[in-house]
Amino acid sequence: MTLVRLGYVAMSMHLQNASPSQTMTFSAFQKISDQEAAIRKLERIALSNLENTHRLLKHNASHDIHFYRLTSRLIPLANHEELPDWNYMKPLKEKLQEIGEFVKKHNMRIDFHPDHFVVLNSSKVDVLKNSIKTLKMHYLLLKGMKIDPYHRCVLHVGGNYDDTEKSLEKFVDNWMDVPRSIQKMIMLENDDTSFTLDDTLYLCEKLGIPLVFDYHHHLAHHTNEQWEGNWERIVATWKDSPLPIKMHISSPKSESEFRHHSDYVNVNMFFNFLKEIKGTVPEIHCMIEAKKKDEALFHLIQEIKGRADVEMIDGSSFYLK
């Protein structure tokens, strides 16, 4: 049997006033004449984001949710070029440790999916430099929580630049400039416009990176719709990971807006995937990328509970029979 665990992204539809992504623009920062006071305000916002993250994790624990994607916007202006000397980690140390202890106590899997401006195959030196800098922030946050950073950040390959082969090779070239500690943190995901499953598998196998299979993206963008023939290769990219294989699940908003995510996950679409991989892996973690966040998870679980081909374990986990 295969154990399936569900997770969701960043925000809760159930908790009030619990945004972990509160921010401050640089223009607002500049309007505060005392820069020390402005820095303290940034730190208060970051601490509030971490407090809300802790609240979200407690919410998850109370609903047996073991898998959660942290927002990448925990620290506003963390890597802004005008604030090169700001040691943003120092005031967050105690709260990060507290969050890490909670995660370990409740045996949760947490990870990140940095924003679209993190592009490792860019030909622009400053873009690559800033991308690595942003990834270092994610690394420091995980280390601050005392969480092993191995395979905790999902990235897309990057820009296609009208030449898939050259863009893939540029990723390989730039990968050599990425510090080894950051390399070990990365997972790659096939996307819905530029890099197919086959493209992404090429990089993952060449560079030893785990592949996060996005089923919806694959249906929207592929050279060969039959992904099943590549499943063993996908699984093999995880052979050296300390974590179970993960994938992304979402459903199209409509036929005309196929690439856009729906509010909820279509249970039949999800089980079309699951029935193909049943028994091939002992455990798989499925990140729900739906507009309704944790509500989409609860809704999906309610639909799954009525199925004869599952054995429920808790509020977000079940065995495929």
Side-chain angles (χ1 to χ4, degrees):
M1 290 198 294
T2 295
L3 170 62
V4 180
R5 290 202 189 280
L6 304 181
Y8 73 97
V9 176
M11 303 284 289
S12 169
M13 303 299 290
H14 289 252
L15 280 186
Q16 299 300 309
N17 304 311
S19 172
S21 305
Q22 300 162 94
T23 191
M24 182 184 190
T25 64
F26 188 66
S27 60
F29 176 87
Q30 285 181 304
K31 287 174 184 173
I32 303 173
S33 56
D34 182 344
Q35 191 178 48
E36 273 301 306
I39 290 285
R40 297 291 87 77
K41 185 168 183 181
L42 283 178
E43 291 172 351
R44 285 197 300 274
I45 295 170
L47 273 170
S48 176
N49 284 339
L50 289 177
E51 288 287 353
N52 284 341
T53 297
H54 200 172
R55 285 180 61 203
L56 285 159
L57 290 168
K58 289 175 181 176
H59 163 72
N60 294 349
S62 69
H63 289 90
D64 302 320
I65 299 171
H66 316 277
F67 187 25
Y68 174 70
R69 180 188 298 167
L70 297 160
T71 177
S72 290
R73 300 175 185 178
L74 289 169
I75 310 173
L77 306 182
N79 290 318
H80 198 281
E81 59 190 11
E82 297 293 327
L83 298 172
D85 301 321
W86 177 31
N87 180 7
Y88 54 79
M89 291 296 294
K90 188 175 179 181
L92 309 180
K93 183 179 178 181
E94 287 183 17
K95 192 62 198 178
L96 285 169
Q97 285 185 4
E98 196 179 343
I99 288 170
E101 287 166 6
F102 187 87
V103 165
K104 288 177 182 174
K105 179 182 176 182
H106 293 274
N107 195 27
M108 292 178 172
R109 179 178 186 169
I110 57 170
D111 61 18
F112 287 104
H113 194 343
D115 290 326
H116 62 277
F117 56 78
V118 176
V119 182
L120 291 185
N121 75 336
S122 177
S123 57
K124 296 179 179 177
V125 174
D126 60 329
V127 172
L128 178 60
K129 185 178 176 182
N130 287 332
S131 295
I132 293 172
K133 192 176 179 183
T134 300
L135 288 170
K136 184 182 177 183
M137 178 196 73
H138 289 78
Y139 177 84
L140 290 173
L141 285 168
L142 289 164
K143 293 294 279 187
M145 296 178 205
K146 295 185 166 46
I147 300 290
D148 187 346
Y150 260 41
H151 307 148
R152 300 283 182 174
C153 274
V154 182
L155 295 181
H156 291 176
V157 174
N160 187 276
Y161 311 113
D162 297 321
D163 192 324
T164 300
E165 192 171 326
K166 279 188 179 178
S167 298
L168 290 170
E169 289 312 314
K170 190 62 182 172
F171 188 101
V172 175
D173 290 344
N174 288 354
W175 187 249
M176 301 307 123
D177 294 325
V178 178
R180 183 69 180 137
S181 58
I182 303 296
Q183 286 183 359
K184 290 177 179 178
M185 193 172 66
I186 303 302
M187 302 166 279
L188 285 180
E189 171 194 0
N190 57 299
D191 68 63
D192 60 348
T193 55
S194 300
F195 297 98
T196 65
L197 171 60
D198 295 285
D199 297 331
T200 312
L201 254 179
Y202 164 76
L203 286 181
C204 288
E205 291 175 336
K206 187 178 182 72
L207 300 173
I209 305 170
L211 189 145
V212 175
F213 180 50
D214 191 305
Y215 184 51
H216 180 188
H217 284 176
H218 174 74
L219 296 178
H221 180 58
H222 54 261
T223 47
N224 174 15
E225 190 172 353
Q226 302 305 311
W227 59 272
E228 299 90 340
N230 281 323
W231 181 246
E232 282 188 19
R233 292 172 63 196
I234 295 169
V235 172
T237 66
W238 286 85
K239 67 181 187 300
D240 296 323
S241 179
L243 298 167
I245 188 171
K246 67 169 284 194
M247 60 87 68
H248 291 168
I249 185 66
S250 54
S251 297
K253 185 175 181 181
S254 65
E255 277 300 317
S256 60
E257 296 180 286
F258 193 88
R259 286 184 165 88
H260 295 271
H261 291 173
S262 177
D263 286 350
Y264 298 97
V265 172
N266 181 300
V267 68
N268 293 324
M269 178 179 170
F270 186 33
F271 273 78
N272 285 342
F273 167 78
L274 290 179
K275 71 182 180 183
E276 295 296 334
I277 63 101
K278 182 178 73 171
T280 62
V281 290
E283 184 171 350
I284 185 167
H285 294 176
C286 305
M287 179 57 71
I288 293 171
E289 296 187 319
K291 298 292 185 185
K292 292 291 187 180
K293 308 295 184 180
D294 57 344
E295 176 57 31
L297 187 155
F298 297 140
H299 186 268
L300 183 59
I301 281 291
Q302 284 305 313
E303 293 191 290
I304 290 170
K305 280 180 179 177
R307 297 181 64 97
D309 54 355
V310 303
E311 178 187 325
M312 296 304 303
I313 299 170
D314 59 29
S316 73
S317 312
F318 56 91
Y319 279 114
L320 291 171
K321 288 186 185 176

